[in-house]
Amino acid sequence: MKQKIVIKVSMHCSKCRTEALQVAAVAYGVNSVALHGPEKDMLMILGEGVDVACLTEALRKKLCHATIEIVEEVKEPSPPKPPAPPTPSPQIIYCQQPPQFECYRVVADPSPAP
């Protein structure tokens, strides 16, 4: 199950931000880490099977203050359905019998004409 986690961390300089990103990046199950929020004081973490409590505790040990803001499941978009195959247009088939030829035999009239 993919998770989206937002943790608010007290970060007042670029060194603190770098340390917070490093601590979050090495945690088990983390796929990506990004700074979030208008003051860049939140970490947005995406991953599978992340232990949020342990991650927050590690951030508190390293940086002093961290609180869990949001933990939610990320639902992956369902794959688009393949378009239905186009229905074939009906084909018109004309069935005709082949022309029948009649054979005419010309038989010579045995009687002579008068």
Side-chain angles (χ1 to χ4, degrees), residues 77-111:
S78 60
K81 294 181 180 177
T87 56
S89 59
Q91 294 181 348
I92 300 173
I93 300 173
Y94 294 102
C95 295
Q96 294 180 345
Q97 294 181 347
Q100 300 205 359
F101 297 102
E102 294 183 23
C103 292
Y104 294 101
R105 262 170 95 187
V106 178
V107 178
D109 193 16
S111 60

Coordinates of all heavy atoms in Angstrom, one line a residue, residues 77-111:
P77 N -4.0 5.5 -10.1 CA -5.1 5.6 -11.1 C -5.3 4.3 -11.8 O -4.3 3.6 -12.1 CB -4.7 6.7 -12.0 CG -3.2 6.8 -11.8 CD -2.9 6.3 -10.4
S78 N -6.5 4.0 -12.0 CA -6.8 2.7 -12.7 C -6.3 2.9 -14.2 O -6.4 3.9 -14.8 CB -8.3 2.4 -12.7 OG -9.0 3.4 -13.3
P79 N -5.8 1.8 -14.7 CA -5.3 1.9 -16.1 C -6.5 2.2 -17.1 O -7.6 1.7 -16.8 CB -4.7 0.6 -16.4 CG -5.3 -0.4 -15.4 CD -5.6 0.5 -14.2
P80 N -6.3 3.0 -18.0 CA -7.4 3.3 -18.9 C -7.8 2.1 -19.7 O -7.0 1.3 -20.1 CB -6.8 4.4 -19.9 CG -5.3 4.2 -19.8 CD -5.0 3.7 -18.4
K81 N -9.1 2.0 -19.9 CA -9.6 0.9 -20.6 C -9.2 1.0 -22.1 O -9.2 2.1 -22.7 CB -11.1 0.9 -20.5 CG -11.6 0.6 -19.1 CD -13.1 0.5 -19.1 CE -13.7 0.3 -17.7 NZ -15.1 0.3 -17.7
P82 N -8.8 -0.1 -22.7 CA -8.5 0.0 -24.1 C -9.7 0.3 -24.9 O -10.8 -0.2 -24.5 CB -7.9 -1.4 -24.4 CG -8.4 -2.3 -23.4 CD -8.7 -1.4 -22.1
P83 N -9.6 1.0 -25.9 CA -10.8 1.4 -26.7 C -11.4 0.1 -27.3 O -10.7 -0.8 -27.7 CB -10.3 2.3 -27.8 CG -8.8 2.0 -27.9 CD -8.4 1.6 -26.5
A84 N -12.7 0.1 -27.4 CA -13.4 -1.1 -27.9 C -13.0 -1.2 -29.4 O -12.9 -0.2 -30.1 CB -14.9 -0.9 -27.8
P85 N -12.8 -2.5 -29.8 CA -12.5 -2.6 -31.2 C -13.6 -2.1 -32.1 O -14.8 -2.3 -31.7 CB -12.3 -4.1 -31.4 CG -13.0 -4.7 -30.2 CD -13.0 -3.7 -29.1
P86 N -13.3 -1.5 -33.2 CA -14.4 -1.0 -34.0 C -15.3 -2.1 -34.6 O -14.7 -3.1 -35.0 CB -13.7 -0.2 -35.1 CG -12.3 -0.8 -35.1 CD -12.0 -1.2 -33.8
T87 N -16.5 -1.9 -34.6 CA -17.4 -2.9 -35.1 C -17.3 -2.9 -36.6 O -17.3 -1.8 -37.3 CB -18.9 -2.6 -34.7 OG1 -19.2 -1.3 -35.2 CG2 -19.1 -2.7 -33.2
P88 N -17.1 -4.1 -37.2 CA -17.0 -4.1 -38.7 C -18.3 -3.7 -39.3 O -19.4 -4.0 -38.9 CB -16.6 -5.6 -39.0 CG -17.1 -6.3 -37.8 CD -17.1 -5.4 -36.6
S89 N -18.1 -3.0 -40.4 CA -19.3 -2.6 -41.1 C -19.9 -3.8 -41.8 O -19.1 -4.7 -42.3 CB -19.0 -1.5 -42.2 OG -18.1 -2.0 -43.1
P90 N -21.2 -3.9 -41.9 CA -21.8 -5.1 -42.5 C -21.4 -5.2 -44.0 O -21.4 -4.2 -44.7 CB -23.3 -4.9 -42.3 CG -23.5 -3.5 -42.1 CD -22.2 -3.0 -41.5
Q91 N -21.1 -6.3 -44.4 CA -20.7 -6.5 -45.8 C -21.9 -7.1 -46.6 O -22.6 -8.0 -46.1 CB -19.6 -7.5 -46.0 CG -18.3 -7.0 -45.4 CD -17.1 -7.9 -45.5 OE1 -17.4 -9.1 -45.9 NE2 -15.9 -7.5 -45.3
I92 N -22.2 -6.5 -47.7 CA -23.3 -7.0 -48.5 C -22.7 -8.0 -49.5 O -21.8 -7.7 -50.3 CB -24.0 -5.8 -49.2 CG1 -24.5 -4.8 -48.2 CG2 -25.1 -6.3 -50.1 CD1 -25.0 -3.5 -48.7
I93 N -23.3 -9.1 -49.5 CA -22.9 -10.2 -50.4 C -24.0 -10.5 -51.3 O -25.1 -10.8 -50.8 CB -22.4 -11.4 -49.6 CG1 -21.3 -11.1 -48.7 CG2 -22.0 -12.6 -50.5 CD1 -20.8 -12.2 -47.7
Y94 N -23.8 -10.4 -52.6 CA -24.8 -10.8 -53.5 C -24.6 -12.2 -54.0 O -23.5 -12.5 -54.5 CB -24.8 -9.8 -54.7 CG -25.1 -8.4 -54.4 CD1 -24.2 -7.5 -54.2 CD2 -26.5 -8.0 -54.2 CE1 -24.5 -6.2 -53.9 CE2 -26.8 -6.8 -53.8 CZ -25.8 -5.8 -53.7 OH -26.1 -4.5 -53.3
C95 N -25.5 -13.0 -53.9 CA -25.4 -14.4 -54.4 C -26.2 -14.5 -55.7 O -27.4 -14.3 -55.7 CB -25.9 -15.4 -53.4 SG -25.0 -15.4 -51.9
Q96 N -25.6 -14.8 -56.7 CA -26.2 -15.0 -58.0 C -25.9 -16.4 -58.5 O -24.8 -16.9 -58.4 CB -25.8 -14.0 -59.0 CG -26.2 -12.6 -58.7 CD -25.7 -11.6 -59.7 OE1 -24.9 -11.9 -60.5 NE2 -26.3 -10.4 -59.7
Q97 N -26.9 -17.0 -59.2 CA -26.6 -18.2 -59.8 C -25.9 -18.0 -61.1 O -26.2 -17.0 -61.8 CB -27.9 -19.0 -60.0 CG -28.5 -19.4 -58.7 CD -29.8 -20.2 -58.9 OE1 -30.3 -20.3 -60.1 NE2 -30.3 -20.8 -57.9
P98 N -25.0 -18.8 -61.5 CA -24.3 -18.6 -62.8 C -25.4 -18.7 -63.9 O -26.3 -19.5 -63.8 CB -23.3 -19.7 -62.8 CG -23.7 -20.7 -61.8 CD -24.5 -20.0 -60.8
P99 N -25.2 -18.0 -65.0 CA -26.2 -18.1 -66.1 C -26.2 -19.5 -66.6 O -25.1 -20.1 -66.7 CB -25.7 -17.1 -67.1 CG -24.2 -16.8 -66.7 CD -24.1 -17.1 -65.3
Q100 N -27.3 -19.9 -66.9 CA -27.4 -21.3 -67.4 C -27.6 -21.2 -68.9 O -28.4 -20.5 -69.4 CB -28.6 -22.0 -66.8 CG -28.5 -22.1 -65.3 CD -29.2 -23.2 -64.7 OE1 -29.9 -24.0 -65.4 NE2 -29.1 -23.4 -63.4
F101 N -26.7 -21.9 -69.6 CA -26.7 -21.9 -71.0 C -27.5 -23.2 -71.5 O -27.3 -24.2 -70.9 CB -25.3 -22.0 -71.6 CG -24.5 -20.8 -71.2 CD1 -23.6 -20.8 -70.2 CD2 -24.7 -19.6 -71.9 CE1 -22.8 -19.7 -69.9 CE2 -24.0 -18.5 -71.6 CZ -23.0 -18.5 -70.6
E102 N -28.4 -22.9 -72.4 CA -29.1 -24.1 -73.0 C -28.5 -24.4 -74.3 O -28.2 -23.5 -75.1 CB -30.6 -23.7 -73.1 CG -31.3 -23.5 -71.8 CD -32.7 -23.2 -72.0 OE1 -33.3 -23.6 -73.0 OE2 -33.3 -22.6 -71.1
C103 N -28.3 -25.6 -74.5 CA -27.8 -26.1 -75.8 C -28.9 -26.4 -76.7 O -29.8 -27.1 -76.4 CB -26.9 -27.3 -75.6 SG -25.5 -27.0 -74.6
Y104 N -28.8 -25.7 -77.8 CA -29.8 -26.0 -78.9 C -29.1 -26.8 -79.9 O -28.0 -26.5 -80.4 CB -30.3 -24.7 -79.5 CG -31.1 -23.8 -78.5 CD1 -30.5 -22.7 -77.9 CD2 -32.4 -24.1 -78.3 CE1 -31.2 -22.0 -77.0 CE2 -33.1 -23.3 -77.4 CZ -32.5 -22.3 -76.8 OH -33.2 -21.5 -75.9
R105 N -29.8 -27.9 -80.2 CA -29.2 -28.7 -81.3 C -30.0 -28.5 -82.5 O -31.2 -28.5 -82.5 CB -29.4 -30.2 -80.9 CG -28.2 -30.8 -80.3 CD -28.4 -32.1 -79.8 NE -28.1 -33.2 -80.7 CZ -28.4 -34.4 -80.5 NH1 -29.0 -34.8 -79.4 NH2 -28.1 -35.3 -81.3
V106 N -29.3 -28.2 -83.5 CA -30.0 -28.0 -84.8 C -30.0 -29.4 -85.5 O -28.9 -30.0 -85.7 CB -29.2 -27.0 -85.7 CG1 -29.9 -26.8 -87.0 CG2 -29.1 -25.7 -84.9
V107 N -31.1 -29.8 -85.7 CA -31.3 -31.2 -86.3 C -31.8 -30.9 -87.7 O -32.7 -30.2 -88.0 CB -32.3 -32.0 -85.5 CG1 -32.5 -33.4 -86.2 CG2 -31.9 -32.2 -84.1
A108 N -31.1 -31.5 -88.6 CA -31.5 -31.4 -90.0 C -32.9 -32.1 -90.2 O -33.0 -33.2 -89.7 CB -30.5 -32.0 -90.9
D109 N -33.7 -31.4 -90.8 CA -35.1 -31.9 -91.0 C -34.9 -33.1 -92.0 O -34.5 -32.9 -93.1 CB -36.0 -30.8 -91.5 CG -37.4 -31.2 -91.5 OD1 -37.8 -32.2 -90.8 OD2 -38.2 -30.5 -92.1
P110 N -35.3 -34.2 -91.6 CA -35.2 -35.4 -92.6 C -36.1 -35.2 -93.8 O -35.8 -35.8 -94.8 CB -35.6 -36.6 -91.8 CG -36.2 -36.1 -90.6 CD -35.9 -34.6 -90.4
S111 N -37.1 -34.5 -93.7 CA -38.0 -34.4 -94.9 C -37.5 -33.1 -95.7 O -37.3 -32.1 -95.1 CB -39.4 -34.2 -94.5 OG -39.6 -33.1 -93.7

